[in-house]
Amino acid sequence: MKKTVIAAVRDSRVLDSSCLDSIDTVFLLSTNIIELAQTILDTHQNGKEIFVHADFAEGIGKDKFGMEYIKSLGADGVISTRAGVIKAAREIGLKTVQRIFIVDSQSIETAIDSTRASKPDMIEIMPGVVPKVIAAMKSRTEIPLIAGGLVSTLDEVNSAIQAGAIAVSTSNTDLWK
């Protein structure tokens, strides 16, 4: 992951968009077993890295075999809120992003415990517009942090990066440029 903005894509048709020219990484947030192989191929042909949100990949198991299938299609990594999915993906060599939703101060403690057990490559903090939470997580873990969710302005991107995130995922195509 080189650039600080990640394209969070819900519709694979967006992958044909010129607004993707300025990004290196795609988080595919919605897909299915029929479309996934072609989407991965198209993304790689455009020189982009692709992470598949395993929790929302319809028709694909949320287990070791599902992760092996995603890997066999050529995905660079997976995203999940589930520690078991993250562990299974890591065991077969996929890069992993564990999505964490922070709703209160206890969520931070739960997130730390969960990520210590699953050992993801990166953690995506949601919502990503809370630099205070990003800074708190950054001070308690060595795992690189990505801010995601509700990020809609360049100021919010910059605030997340200044708070310690290595990147920001957003579906706002204006920020992909």
Side-chain angles (χ1 to χ4, degrees):
M1 209 166 300
K2 299 172 207 138
K3 297 187 178 168
T4 59
V5 175
I6 297 165
V9 175
R10 286 182 175 66
D11 183 345
S12 61
R13 292 176 292 193
V14 172
L15 295 173
D16 295 332
S17 174
S18 64
C19 62
L20 292 174
D21 290 345
S22 299
I23 59 101
D24 292 329
T25 306
V26 171
F27 280 5
L28 185 60
L29 303 181
S30 179
T31 192
N32 62 62
I33 195 169
I34 304 297
E35 297 174 353
L36 185 56
Q38 189 62 51
T39 302
I40 291 170
L41 181 64
D42 292 346
T43 304
H44 282 162
Q45 285 178 339
N46 286 309
K48 312 299 180 196
E49 183 177 45
I50 185 167
F51 286 72
V52 176
H53 198 311
D55 300 354
F56 300 123
E58 294 182 55
I60 300 173
K62 311 317 181 226
D63 56 17
K64 177 184 172 193
F65 297 108
M67 298 310 99
E68 287 180 357
Y69 179 71
I70 290 171
K71 182 178 180 180
S72 76
L73 297 178
D76 298 289
V78 297
I79 305 160
S80 181
T81 60
R82 303 171 184 183
V85 170
I86 296 296
K87 280 183 172 180
R90 279 186 56 81
E91 286 173 5
I92 61 165
L94 282 168
K95 295 178 193 173
T96 56
V97 176
Q98 187 165 350
R99 256 188 179 187
I100 303 290
F101 292 92
I102 304 296
V103 295
D104 58 21
S105 58
Q106 183 57 44
S107 299
I108 295 173
E109 298 305 318
T110 302
I112 294 295
D113 292 342
S114 177
T115 56
R116 280 186 180 143
S118 64
K119 298 179 175 42
D121 294 299
M122 293 167 276
I123 301 166
E124 183 176 19
I125 305 293
M126 302 201 66
V129 293
V130 188
K132 175 179 166 181
V133 173
I134 295 167
M137 286 288 292
K138 178 79 174 157
S139 72
R140 309 255 329 260
T141 183
E142 300 284 321
I143 301 168
L145 301 174
I146 299 165
L150 303 176
V151 178
S152 59
T153 69
L154 188 55
D155 285 342
E156 291 167 341
V157 170
N158 291 333
S159 292
I161 299 300
Q162 289 171 357
I166 62 161
V168 175
S169 71
T170 179
S171 58
N172 182 338
T173 59
D174 291 335
L175 294 176
W176 297 355
K177 297 176 184 167

